[in-house]
Amino acid sequence: MGEKFKKMNYKLFDSSLDGVVVVDEENRVIYANPLAMQWCGGSVRKFRQKPKFEEVFAFRSAVVEEDIKKITSATAYKEIEFDHQKENGDSELMLMQVSVQPEEESGESKHWIYFIRNNTLETRLRNKYISEQHAKQHFRLAAETDALTGISNKKYFWDKFNESFAVASSAGSTFSLIFFDLDNFKKLNDTYGHFAGDFVLKETASIIESEMLRSGDVFARFGGEEFVVILKRCNIENGLRVAERIRQRIADHKFIYEKHTLSVTI
């Protein structure tokens, strides 16, 4: 009766979406569902001969001893992941996951059940989703970033300005806006060339972004040599102090381009 119940029990695994293999205490296969046979590359006749698990565990490729060792030495309920290449020579790898758990003891024998899952499609879908999210983030950042200086651009500034204005209006809070440009920038370009002008813009942006602002503040290139800063939760007195510090920091900095010391003020 017990043996009949056991066979009925195993029969339930025939339609499982996972490969299922049951082995005895000598690691001989006493049951394998159709999917496990397909992945292991063994015939029904071969499985009827109760082969050792490592003899049929090939997943359409040569048996990999290291993988077999991981599985057959696994403790109860342990999950193992590894790759196996298809037998047809495709370079594509199958990402297999094996979950090991004991079956309840039957008489003097103790059986182990291996649940085998092909995670290749799941992994592909997950990687595709991650890739798409990275691409979306990349395009979003590109749309909001000034290509020359690497700081935020005019579009991003307007988005954040409208957001800050709405918050300040509804909550009664304050923020400060600093708008400035570089003095005599056209003359600098005409004298030293546009590459020198680009150097000054990038250097100015780098100094202000890395040294002068808080993490929550917004710093953007408005266009040409014009820059703008949004200081959140900042009243006009403190805003004026920050503006003066920025002005003084740029005036004190030595802008050296191709051995030329450039005079830059805002």
Side-chain angles (χ1 to χ4, degrees):
M1 180 68 178
E3 185 66 25
K4 183 179 180 182
F5 174 77
K6 187 190 299 179
K7 287 182 179 178
M8 287 177 61
N9 232 0
Y10 295 160
K11 199 71 177 173
L12 295 174
F13 293 132
D14 283 357
S15 58
S16 172
L17 296 177
D18 294 337
V20 180
V21 177
V22 183
V23 299
D24 62 17
E25 67 274 11
E26 295 180 352
N27 212 38
R28 292 191 175 277
V29 177
I30 58 176
Y31 167 81
N33 73 347
L35 195 56
M37 292 185 196
Q38 178 185 338
W39 283 343
C40 293
S43 64
V44 174
R45 182 178 179 183
K46 186 173 183 177
F47 276 96
R48 282 176 180 166
Q49 296 170 359
K50 294 188 177 180
K52 289 268 192 175
F53 181 78
E54 55 265 32
E55 292 174 2
V56 294
F57 187 73
F59 291 114
R60 298 171 178 258
S61 71
V63 175
V64 180
E65 291 183 6
E66 185 178 345
D67 292 341
I68 296 298
K69 189 175 180 181
K70 285 180 184 178
I71 294 170
T72 55
S73 63
T75 55
Y77 304 106
K78 182 165 184 176
E79 291 188 349
I80 307 131
E81 284 194 355
F82 50 88
D83 295 337
H84 271 280
Q85 192 166 15
K86 292 182 177 180
E87 188 180 46
N88 60 14
D90 289 349
S91 59
E92 179 184 20
L93 292 176
M94 296 170 65
L95 180 63
M96 310 304 295
Q97 180 186 47
V98 178
S99 178
V100 186
Q101 70 180 61
E103 184 190 16
E104 290 191 16
E105 291 183 2
S106 175
E108 296 181 356
S109 299
K110 187 171 184 180
H111 300 157
W112 292 81
I113 305 176
Y114 298 122
F115 293 94
I116 307 166
R117 175 174 297 173
N118 183 352
N119 281 345
T120 308
L121 179 58
E122 181 181 337
T123 301
R124 276 187 192 155
L125 291 174
R126 182 170 65 245
N127 290 342
K128 182 181 178 184
Y129 173 78
I130 293 172
S131 177
E132 287 174 349
Q133 294 305 306
H134 284 170
K136 287 179 181 178
Q137 184 178 20
H138 173 76
F139 289 133
R140 181 181 60 80
L141 288 174
E144 298 174 344
T145 303
D146 178 61
L148 177 65
T149 62
I151 64 174
S152 301
N153 61 14
K154 188 175 182 178
K155 176 188 178 301
Y156 184 79
F157 160 73
W158 280 121
D159 288 343
K160 290 301 178 181
F161 173 79
N162 291 330
E163 178 185 303
S164 299
F165 188 82
V167 170
S169 298
S170 61
S173 58
T174 61
F175 70 94
S176 292
L177 185 67
I178 303 173
F179 190 93
F180 66 90
D181 63 3
L182 303 183
D183 297 331
N184 304 311
F185 187 71
K186 183 179 183 304
K187 182 178 179 181
L188 185 148
N189 268 337
D190 293 341
T191 304
Y192 298 103
H194 289 284
F195 287 122
D198 289 348
F199 163 76
V200 169
L201 291 171
K202 290 188 284 188
E203 190 86 348
T204 299
S206 176
I207 292 168
I208 296 173
E209 183 180 45
S210 62
E211 300 178 20
M212 311 302 295
L213 303 175
R214 301 167 300 179
S215 60
D217 296 331
V218 176
F219 178 42
R221 184 182 177 198
F222 198 77
E225 70 274 26
E226 299 171 334
F227 295 88
V228 64
V229 179
I230 299 175
L231 301 173
K232 297 182 178 180
R233 300 177 302 281
C234 178
N235 59 32
I236 189 168
E237 290 82 7
N238 288 327
L240 286 170
R241 292 190 186 97
V242 174
E244 176 56 25
R245 286 202 299 269
I246 291 174
R247 186 200 66 78
Q248 192 62 54
R249 178 68 181 86
I250 297 302
D252 292 342
H253 183 72
K254 287 187 177 181
F255 290 82
I256 299 175
Y257 177 76
E258 293 184 350
K259 299 182 180 180
H260 296 289
T261 301
L262 309 179
S263 176
V264 180
T265 57
I266 58 178

